[in-house]
Structures are given as structure tokens and as C-alpha cells.
Amino acid sequence: MESNPQHDDELVFVSDDGDVPPVEEPVQRAAWRVLIVDDDPDVHTTTTFALRGTQVLGRPLQFMHANSAQEACAIFERDRDIAVVLLDVVMEQEDSGLQLVRRIREHYGMQETRVILRTGQPGYAPEMEAIRDYDINDYKTKSELTRNKLYTTLTASIRSYDQIRTINAGRRGLDMVVRATSELLALSGIHNFAHGVITQAAAFVRGRPDGFICVRRPPELRDDNHDVVVIAAVGRYAPVLNKPLGQVSDEVARDALERCLREERHLFEAHGTALFFRSRDGRNMAGWLDTQDIVEGDLRRLLELFSSNVSIGLDNTLLFSQLHNYAYFDALSQLPNRRSLIQKLDEHLSGPERGGHTLVLVDIDNFAETNDALGHYFGDLLLQAVAVRLQLALGRDCVLARVSSDTFALLGRTEQLMPASLQALFREPFVIESQELMVSVTMGIAHLTDIEGNGSDALKDANIALRRAKMGHRGEYSFFTRDMAVEIRERVKLLQALRQAMERQRLFLMYQPQIDLASGRPCGIEALLRWRGDDGRMIEPDRFIPIAEHSGMIINIGEWVLRLACFQQVDLARRGFDKLRVAVNVSVSQFRHPRFIPSVVAALKDSGADPARIELEITESMAMEEADFINRTLDDIKVLGVKIAIDDFGTGFSSLSYLQRLRVDRLKIDRAFVTDIVGDERAGRIPELVIQLGQKLGLAVIAEGVETADQADLLRRMGCHEAQGYHFARPLETDALLDWLNHHSTASSK
């Protein structure tokens, strides 16, 4: 303690030049709060007396008193809104004042409050060190604080406090705007965004979030009475949510928002605040917020800045909403799309709905033909009509989605999606552009209890059932079973293995000799594709060739087979078997491919094969389809000198007049007609008719599947020219074929 506080701390106001500002009548504005901390009661009295009635920056002073640092701390614990602290250095202890400064800054976080240190002993605490070490704003001896100087010092400190508070408030306001905008942008959907705007705006004015947001509807959804609709409402305005603005009962709020949207500006009024949010696409938004007083000054500027940021966020939100619609809804039908359906399926598969729910794919039969015949506009109207009928019949309890051009998906309770009930919905015609159109549908059905996996797996399994249904008659339906999934997986594995087999050269050709029945000599060979697995076992052609055709791999495989067969013909001719022809099967996909004729030309040229010794086999069903195209292609082949045979003849439904026009060289009797020709007179009639037809048309006839001498003898007596089958030889690899040819050929046949 100081030696004589009564003497040393005495505050004496000496005379000054000039006058203290006159005492003014107090005004009704918040006072600047000044805390006097001193253990001398006279200091409190004289300071208060000297500055009573004084105003600083247009506001009065309010004095608070503490006789010790401990009492000051008690005040700070409950109240920190203090502009200036007039602080004695020496109180309970010699450095009580300095330690209190440190506590004010570090413990209470009062960085804006100005601290004026006063001491009665000028040399006790060095001024520079005190200001440097303790964040003191001013340092005065009590003797130099005359009345005018006290007022001047206090005014300078309060002005500094006010400026710092304004700067910090602006910074906090800007931080609040940035934080509020960031939080708004994190919200998805226009409704959530609008709700967030109300909440954030209410936080600025520190009031209850009573308000609502309205937005102009898109042009295509507007009408005279519902141009503006409420999309978010909180507090006492909650009942107006989703109502047109014209139906809002609060006339003050309604009129203010109508004027806000019409004049495109903010309105700061006594009963509330209307904020305008501009959108580039014309879908402007306006918000009403209950406020007690007219918003002014910095707060108004912050709200205006906040509104500008909201306008930018509004454009982004509307864009995100539009992108969301594009991503999850079908533009034509306005139904959920495939991605949205998969999300719903994921929810159902992971929830309690799984047990009693079913997924149905409804595919419109012959929709492509309808589009071709009546146009895409008509087709679009039909799809929309189908969507409307399904929606009206099934209601909101069923999820309806459009998953492809002419396929709809239904997800709902099993009893609601019975196949017969769904098919009954299509018994009545659809009226499109005044035309009645009957529509049938094929359906694939999958119970969710049978699904192993997620929503994508469920949709895939329903597609498997749909494809199975399409294999039968149109208008049918098929239920997914797990056996179907096993079969598909096996096909996929086989396809992957086939790709690897091509890369690892596991595919190869075998050749089955063809015999002239009159002479018994070899007249040709048929190239047959074979596949030996990694384990050395053979994979049946009936298993992998359909997969190759379905996947498109048959194009490359077919080209490879043709080239290899051409090189084989050249090799046989070099070995003396120049009269032997080599027959090669051609698939439908290969025959129709634009690269087919060029691939034949390239194979002949690269190998040097004799075109007259190369024979391409096409199936009867292929020969009967697309007459003009088939004839043109056959003409191109014949120009090359290559022979043509119709394979599996008798299994299709040939038109004899059309067959006569085809430029083919040979008919091949299918093995199904050869098996029972011996001992069954009726079974032999079809081969006999085919042989006679060939003779009439000047075509050679060859029978396949000949397994016995009796079959060969009967075919010869019928007039059949050639035959092949196990009776003569099984398919042989190249080395075995050469041995067989050498054994069964005479020198004259070479």
C-alpha cells in the first residue's frame, strides 16, 4: 500500500484555461458506462461530481464504482459492457491495478474496453513499461487530471472505444454474413434454402424467427391467382406455408411483400422488414420478418449485404434444384427416373418394407413400331397417357418411375401389383390425338425378398425376368427366380472366359469331311469352331456360340474362322487336295455386318485361296429374311466366285418362289430329318422332297448327321449327292485330317 493514500491519491482540480463543456439536458440515449476502481472514496466522489451531467459524443455518462480489484472483478463477472475503466495502480497490493488490467484483457476478454491507469506516485510504475506490458490505453498521474483534462482524456478513450466497437461489430457482422451464406449454400432444395434465410435473418436482428418467404413460380406454372407462393414459413406464420401470397391474412406483411416484389427493393418499416432477393431467371424471392423497430444504420447495411449474398445463393439453389430434377426425374413424364428408383429400392431393401413389396417392370409391346408408324410426337403422348393411367390406378402408395424409353417401373405392396390387375389396366384403348390405340404390355416381376444385393441388383433381376417374358409371347409376364440369376452369372462367366480364350488362342478349328455318295470319295470339309478350356476339356459349341453372337464377339471370331479356313484350303491344295472345297458357317450378325464382304475379299486375297473352293453356309431362316438385302449380298459374294449353301434346310419356312431367285449352289438337309429315315417311311419324305427340289432347281444336296451305312445307302438311292457325319468321320484336327485324307483318297482323286 502507498504510505499515505489520503494525501498521495488526493484528486485536485487546478484551474485551466478554457471552460468545461456546458452541462446539457440529458437525452434518452444509452449512456457510456465508466467504472471507477479506487480505494479512496474521495476519488469516486470528485470524479463523479466533476463530470456530472456531461455528455460525450451526444450520450451521457453512467458511473460505476469499485473500491478494490476484487470488487471490480465481481462487477465484470456479471457485466462487461463497460466503455472505460479509470483504474488506480495501488490498492490491496502494490500492483493490484496492473494485475487487474491483465485479468480484464486475458480472463474477461474485454479487448474493446479502454483502460486509463491513474496513480498518485508518478515514479512508482514506469509509464512506458506499464503501457507496453499491460495493454493500458492511457497513463495519468492524478495531479495532472484537471477537470478539463479528465474530460478530454475520457472523451478520447470513449471515442476510441466507440470506433473499435463499430469496427469489430462490422467485422462480426461480415463474419456473420459469410457464415450465414455458407450455411445457406449447404442446404439442398429451394424450401430448405428459404427456411434457412428466415432463420439467419432473424439472427441478425436478434429476434424470434417469425416470418415467411415467397417466390415467383416458374412461367409454365403461373396463373393469375397463384403467381407468388409461400415456400417457407416459421413461427406464427407457419400456417401460410404453400399458400399463394394473396391468401395470406396478415395484410401488413402481404401488402409489404407485394410492394417489395413490384418495386424490387427492400422495405424497412415500423411493423416489420421486407427483404428482396433477385434471381436471374425472374423467379424473384421476397421475405417478411417481424421486427420491433425500423432497422437502421449498420444493421440495415448488413441485412442488405446478406440479401445480396442470398440472391446469389438463390440462383445457385434454383440451378441445383433444376439439376436435381434432371438427375432424378424424367423430363417427358415428370416421373422419377432410374436413378431415383434405385434410391427408393435401396431404402425398401434395407427397411421393413422388404418383406411385402414387389418391383414390376412394365414394357410397352411394339412401341418402336408405333413410333415408326405414327411419329415420335404420338409416341410421347402415348407414354404420358400410360403414366397418367398407372398413377390414377395405383395412387401414391406405389412408386411409379420411367426407367427407359418404353419401360415403366412399379414399386409397391405385393397385393397391389398382381399381374392380372396390372394387365387389366390395358384392356381399354388409349385415345391419342382422337385415335384409339390398344396397347399390351410384357412384365418382369421381382419380389424384394428374392433380391440379393442393393437397388441396382433388384432392377437388374427384374430386367432378367422381363427378358425371359419377352422370349415367349408378347403380353406375358415372368417372375424372377434365383435360378435365373445363377444362369445369367454363368453366361457372364462364360463370356469372360471366351474373351480370354481368344486372347490365349484357345479357339481352334476342326474339320469334318464331306463325302460324294456316288464315288465314296472326299469332296469337301466343313470348318467347325471348337474351344478347349484351360483344363483341357472341350466346351460345347451350343454353349458358347450363342453367347458370342449375343455379345457381338462373333464378328471378329467369324472373320478369324474364315481367314483360317482360306489358309487351310491353300495348304490342302499344296498337298494335292486341290479339288476339296472348304465350307464355313456364317452367322446372322456376321452376314449383316457392313464389314462382311470386305472381310471375305481380304481373306481370299491374303491367303491366295481359290474362291471356287470356298463355300459359305447361311441358315435357311437367314436366307428368307430381308429379301432385297440378302439378294444383294449374295450377288456380291457370287461375283467373287465363292459358293453358297443353305444350311439346316427344311427347318424353316421357305418360299419356293423366293428360293428359286436365290443365287445359291447347295441345299443342306438338317440332321433332324436324317436320324429316323431308315425304318420310318414318313420320316424319309422330307429328305426325299428336299432332294427332288434340289434336282428341279439344279442345286446340289448334302445331308448332315449321317451315322449309319443304311442312312447313307438310302440317301444315295434317293438321289442325294453328298453327305457328312460320324459314319464317315468325326470332326478332325488338321494333322488327323491329313492322315484321314491320305488314307481315304486314291491317286486319281488328287
Side-chain angles (χ1 to χ4, degrees), residues 490-543:
E490 290 300 322
R491 287 172 60 87
V492 170
K493 289 181 180 178
L494 195 62
L495 176 60
Q496 294 172 341
L498 181 58
R499 294 186 189 278
Q500 294 178 352
M502 288 184 62
E503 296 172 358
R504 299 174 182 175
Q505 298 181 344
R506 294 293 185 183
L507 300 180
F508 63 99
L509 294 186
M510 297 183 75
Y511 303 91
Q512 187 171 37
Q514 297 173 332
I515 306 300
D516 183 293
L517 289 175
S519 65
R521 297 169 183 168
C523 59
I525 57 174
E526 181 181 4
L528 300 170
L529 180 63
R530 294 293 183 263
W531 174 13
R532 183 180 289 111
D534 292 340
D535 58 0
R537 291 186 295 181
M538 303 293 288
I539 292 95
E540 292 296 324
D542 290 345
R543 288 187 61 201

Side-chain angles (χ1 to χ4, degrees), residues 253 256-257 260 265-269 272-277 286-289:
L257 287 181
C260 175
R265 65 184 182 90
H266 309 301
L267 301 176
F268 299 95
E269 300 183 341
T273 299
L275 299 174
F276 176 73
F277 310 104
W288 174 262
L289 190 68

Side-chain angles (χ1 to χ4, degrees), residues 106-355:
E106 297 177 1
H107 180 73
Y108 296 111
M110 299 167 62
Q111 306 301 326
E112 297 170 347
T113 299
R114 304 293 87 190
V115 177
I116 301 174
L117 199 64
R118 302 192 297 184
T119 182
Q121 298 182 4
Y124 187 78
E127 182 176 344
M128 291 181 62
E129 293 180 7
I131 292 176
R132 181 193 66 198
D133 296 339
Y134 291 93
D135 190 13
I136 298 169
N137 304 111
D138 205 350
Y139 185 90
K140 300 291 184 182
T141 60
K142 295 180 180 179
S143 60
E144 66 179 308
L145 281 177
T146 63
R147 184 179 182 187
N148 280 355
K149 287 183 178 180
L150 178 62
Y151 173 81
T152 301
T153 299
L154 203 58
T155 299
S157 295
I158 289 175
R159 180 178 287 111
S160 174
Y161 168 77
D162 186 41
Q163 290 172 347
I164 292 172
R165 288 230 333 173
T166 300
I167 292 171
N168 288 344
R171 183 184 296 111
R172 286 192 296 270
L174 290 175
D175 289 343
M176 190 174 179
V177 169
V178 171
R179 185 174 62 255
T181 305
S182 299
E183 292 176 2
L184 287 175
L185 292 177
L187 298 174
S188 60
I190 184 65
H191 292 275
N192 290 337
F193 179 82
H195 190 281
V197 170
I198 301 174
T199 305
Q200 298 290 359
F204 279 96
V205 298
R206 297 182 181 180
R208 288 181 53 191
D210 291 317
F212 63 98
I213 298 285
C214 58
V215 67
R216 290 198 183 279
R217 306 181 77 186
E220 65 272 14
L221 299 179
R222 292 179 187 173
D223 57 49
D224 294 338
N225 299 321
H226 302 86
D227 181 20
V228 180
V229 65
V230 177
I231 58 172
V234 296
R236 69 185 187 93
Y237 293 101
V240 305
L241 180 63
N242 295 326
K243 289 185 177 181
L245 180 59
Q247 295 180 12
V248 174
S249 59
D250 189 325
E251 294 183 7
V252 173
R254 184 186 67 236
D255 294 344
L257 287 181
E258 288 176 346
R259 189 153 41 97
C260 175
L261 287 169
R262 184 172 61 253
E263 298 175 7
E264 298 188 353
R265 65 184 182 90
H266 309 301
L267 301 176
F268 299 95
E269 300 183 341
H271 300 291
T273 299
L275 299 174
F276 176 73
F277 310 104
R278 185 184 305 278
S279 171
R280 284 194 296 267
D281 65 357
R283 296 182 62 188
N284 297 333
M285 194 168 75
W288 174 262
L289 190 68
D290 283 351
T291 46
Q292 298 298 322
D293 301 308
I294 297 177
V295 176
E296 296 179 312
D298 293 337
L299 181 55
R300 176 181 292 195
R301 286 188 287 274
L302 284 175
L303 280 175
E304 289 171 344
L305 176 61
F306 172 69
S307 300
S308 297
N309 286 0
V310 168
S311 295
I312 297 172
L314 175 61
D315 282 328
N316 290 337
T317 300
L318 291 173
L319 175 60
F320 292 154
S321 296
Q322 188 177 24
L323 292 175
H324 180 272
N325 287 339
Y326 287 151
Y328 290 95
F329 289 88
D330 172 56
L332 176 65
S333 64
Q334 300 303 309
L335 295 175
N337 61 11
R338 175 186 294 266
R339 181 180 288 116
S340 180
L341 173 67
I342 289 173
Q343 285 190 346
K344 291 291 185 182
L345 284 166
D346 285 336
E347 294 172 7
H348 280 63
L349 288 167
S350 61
E353 301 91 350
R354 177 174 188 150

Side-chain angles (χ1 to χ4, degrees), residues 56 67 176 238 251 350 355 430 436 537 708:
V56 176
N67 295 315
M176 190 174 179
E251 294 183 7
S350 61
F430 290 88
E436 287 192 357
R537 291 186 295 181
T708 67

